C-alpha cells in the first residue's frame, strides 16, 4: 500500500511541475483513442484511417481545450458517416448541434463526457463512465452521458446497416429520413441503456455526497449493482438481449477503474475522523473532518565514506 501512496505523490508532483505537458499528453491519448475507435468501427472515409493522419489530428488536439477537441472529433465522425449516408450524417449533425446549443453552450467544460461514453461502450466497459461522472460531476452530467449513449447507438446503426444505407438510392430522400429516424428511436436497447446510465449517475452522485464513512466506495459498488439490475430488468420487461458474461466483465472493469480514480482523487483515512463544533452570531456549525491519506516521498541519499581498506558506500534514508 505504501508503494502506491508514494507513486501517487510522485505523480501529483510530476503533474504539478509539468502540468502543461501532462495535460497535452492526456488530450493526445484521449483524442487518438477516439479517432482510432472511429476508424476501426466505421472507417468509411479512407483518408482519415491512416495512422499519420490520426496522429497529426491527435497532436493538434493536444493543444486544444476539450470543447474544441469535441468539435474536431464530431467533424471526423460526420465525415465517416457521410461516406455511407448523407441523410444519417445530417441527422447526426442536427443532433450534435442541438446538444451543443442546449448544454455545452452553458457547460463547455463537460464536453469530454459526450466522447467518453461511446468510447467506453466500444471498449466494452459501458458502466465505467456513469460511475466516474457520478463521482466527479453533478447530476447535470446525466445530459452528456445520455447523449453519448445516443451517439454510440447511431454509430452502431451505421456500422450494421452500411450496405443498406449505401445501396438505397432508389428510395425517396424523405422516406430515407423517416426510416432512419424511426430505426434509431425504436431501438429499445438504446432506451434501456440511457435509463441504465442515468440511474448510475444518479445513485453514485447521491451516495458519494452523503456524510458517511466509505461513501465513495459505497457509491461505486451500489452504482454498479444498480446498473446491472437495470440491465436485467430491461431484459425482462423489454426483451432486450445482452451477453451476461460481457456485462459482468464490463461491470468488474468499471469497479476497478472507479477504484483507481477513488484512490488517486479521494483517498482518506476514516480511522482518524474528527468532529468539531463552532458557532457565529447566526449559526452553529457541526463539522466532520476526515484527513486525506498522504505520505512524503522517501528521501534517499548516498554518502561516500573513504576507507583506506578499500572504501565502501553507505546508503542512508
Amino acid at each position: 500500500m505504501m508503494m502506491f501512496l508514494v507513486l501517487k505523490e510522485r505523480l501529483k508532483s510530476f503533474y504539478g511541475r509539468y502540468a502543461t505537458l501532462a495535460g497535452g499528453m492526456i488530450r493526445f491519448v484521449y483524442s487518438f483513442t477516439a479517432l482510432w475507435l472511429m476508424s476501426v468501427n466505421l472507417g468509411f472515409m479512407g483518408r482519415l484511417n491512416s495512422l499519420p493522419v490520426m496522429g497529426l489530428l491527435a497532436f493538434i488536439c493536444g493543444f486544444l481545450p476539450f470543447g474544441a477537441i469535441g468539435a474536431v472529433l464530431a467533424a471526423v465522425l460526420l465525415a465517416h458517416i457521410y461516406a455511407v449516408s448523407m441523410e444519417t450524417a445530417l441527422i447526426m449533425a442536427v443532433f450534435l448541434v442541438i446538444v451543443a446549443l442546449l448544454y455545452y453552450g452553458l457547460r463547455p467544460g463537460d464536453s469530454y463526457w459526450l466522447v467518453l461514453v461511446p468510447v467506453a461502450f466500444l471498449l466494452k466497459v459501458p458502466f465505467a463512465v456513469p460511475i466516474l461522472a457520478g463521482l466527479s460531476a453533478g447530476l447535470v452530467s446525466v445530459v452528456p452521458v445520455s447523449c453519448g449513449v445516443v451517439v454510440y447507438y447511431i454509430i452502431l446503426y451505421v456500422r450494421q446497416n452500411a450496405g443498406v444505407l449505401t445501396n438505397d438510392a432508389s428510395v425517396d430522400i424523405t422516406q430515407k429520413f423517416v426510416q432512419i429516424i424511426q430505426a434509431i428511436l425504436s431501438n429499445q436497447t438504446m432506451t434501456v441503456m440511457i435509463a441504465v446510465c442515468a440511474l448510475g449517475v444518479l445513485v453514485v452522485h447521491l451516495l458519494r455526497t452523503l456524510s458517511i464513512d466509505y461513501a465513495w466506495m459505497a457509491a461505486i459498488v451500489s452504482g454498479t449493482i444498480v446498473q446491472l439490475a437495470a440491465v436485467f430488468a430491461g431484459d425482462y420487461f423489454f426483451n432486450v438481449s445482452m451477453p451476461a458474461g460481457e456485462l459482468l466483465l464490463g461491470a468488474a472493469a468499471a469497479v476497478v477503474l472507479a477504484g483507481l480514480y477513488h484512490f488517486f482523487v479521494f483517498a482518506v483515512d476514516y480511522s482518524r475522523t474528527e468532529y468539531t463544533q463552532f458557532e457565529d452570531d447566526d449559526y452553529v456549525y457541526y463539522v466532520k473532518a476526515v484527513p486525506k491519506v498522504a505520505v512524503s516521498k522517501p528521501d534517499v541519499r548516498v554518502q561516500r565514506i573513504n576507507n583506506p581498506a578499500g572504501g565502501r558506500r553507505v546508503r542512508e534514508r
Side-chain angles (χ1 to χ4, degrees):
M1 183 64 176
M2 183 62 66
M3 177 180 66
F4 293 108
L5 291 173
V6 172
L7 175 63
K8 172 185 172 181
E9 294 302 318
R10 286 177 173 171
L11 289 175
K12 288 173 61 178
S13 176
F14 176 83
Y15 188 82
R17 185 177 301 177
Y18 305 104
T20 303
L21 176 62
M25 292 174 61
I26 291 171
R27 290 190 293 271
F28 173 83
V29 174
Y30 163 88
S31 305
F32 187 83
T33 302
L35 291 167
W36 177 73
L37 286 171
M38 280 191 280
S39 175
V40 170
N41 290 276
L42 292 175
F44 300 113
M45 183 64 71
R47 284 172 290 183
L48 297 176
N49 294 331
S50 65
L51 286 177
V53 172
M54 290 190 289
L56 177 61
L57 288 175
F59 178 77
I60 294 172
C61 289
F63 298 93
L64 302 177
F66 281 103
I69 294 174
V72 173
L73 296 178
V76 174
L77 175 61
L78 291 175
H80 282 297
I81 297 176
Y82 182 83
V84 175
S85 169
M86 179 196 70
E87 296 80 11
T88 310
L90 183 58
I91 292 171
M92 174 68 90
V94 171
F95 172 75
L96 293 175
V97 168
I98 292 173
V99 173
L101 293 177
L102 294 182
Y103 182 78
Y104 292 116
L106 300 176
R107 297 177 64 90
D110 289 348
S111 58
Y112 47 84
W113 295 120
L114 185 63
V115 177
L116 287 176
V117 171
V119 167
F121 271 77
L122 292 171
L123 294 176
K124 308 301 181 183
V125 286
F127 303 133
V129 176
I131 294 175
L132 293 174
L135 292 175
S136 60
L139 290 178
V140 74
S141 62
V142 169
V143 176
V145 170
S146 300
C147 293
V149 175
V150 176
V151 170
Y152 166 72
Y153 279 98
I154 294 177
I155 293 173
L156 194 63
Y157 171 78
V158 173
R159 187 178 69 185
Q160 294 174 345
N161 298 276
V164 176
L165 293 171
T166 305
N167 299 320
D168 60 353
S170 60
V171 181
D172 180 71
I173 188 169
T174 304
Q175 189 176 355
K176 282 185 183 179
F177 280 111
V178 173
Q179 289 177 350
I180 294 169
I181 294 173
Q182 286 180 343
I184 295 171
L185 295 181
S186 62
N187 189 336
Q188 291 186 331
T189 305
M190 181 183 74
T191 305
V192 169
M193 291 309 298
I194 290 174
V196 167
C197 292
L199 275 174
V201 174
L202 176 65
V203 170
V204 172
H205 175 76
L206 292 179
L207 287 179
R208 68 102 173 168
T209 55
L210 294 179
S211 180
I212 59 174
D213 290 354
Y214 306 101
W216 278 48
M217 291 304 300
I220 292 170
V221 174
S222 300
T224 305
I225 293 173
V226 166
Q227 289 186 91
L228 283 174
V231 170
F232 289 122
D235 189 3
Y236 180 78
F237 289 106
F238 301 101
N239 196 25
V240 174
S241 179
M242 298 182 186
E246 184 178 300
L247 286 174
L248 293 176
L249 288 176
V255 170
V256 171
L257 291 173
L260 289 173
Y261 178 81
H262 169 253
F263 176 77
F264 283 101
V265 175
F266 194 75
V268 296
D269 185 0
Y270 286 103
S271 65
R272 296 191 290 133
T273 301
E274 298 179 3
Y275 297 88
T276 186
Q277 174 184 342
F278 58 94
E279 61 182 271
D280 58 19
D281 294 337
D282 300 314
Y283 295 95
V284 177
Y285 303 91
Y286 298 90
V287 179
K288 176 182 178 181
V290 185
K292 291 185 176 181
V293 177
V295 295
S296 58
K297 294 183 295 183
D299 184 16
V300 180
R301 293 174 297 171
V302 177
Q303 181 177 358
R304 186 184 298 274
I305 301 176
N306 294 324
N307 190 330
R312 294 183 303 172
R313 290 183 178 179
V314 180
R315 183 180 295 273
E316 296 181 353
R317 291 184 180 271

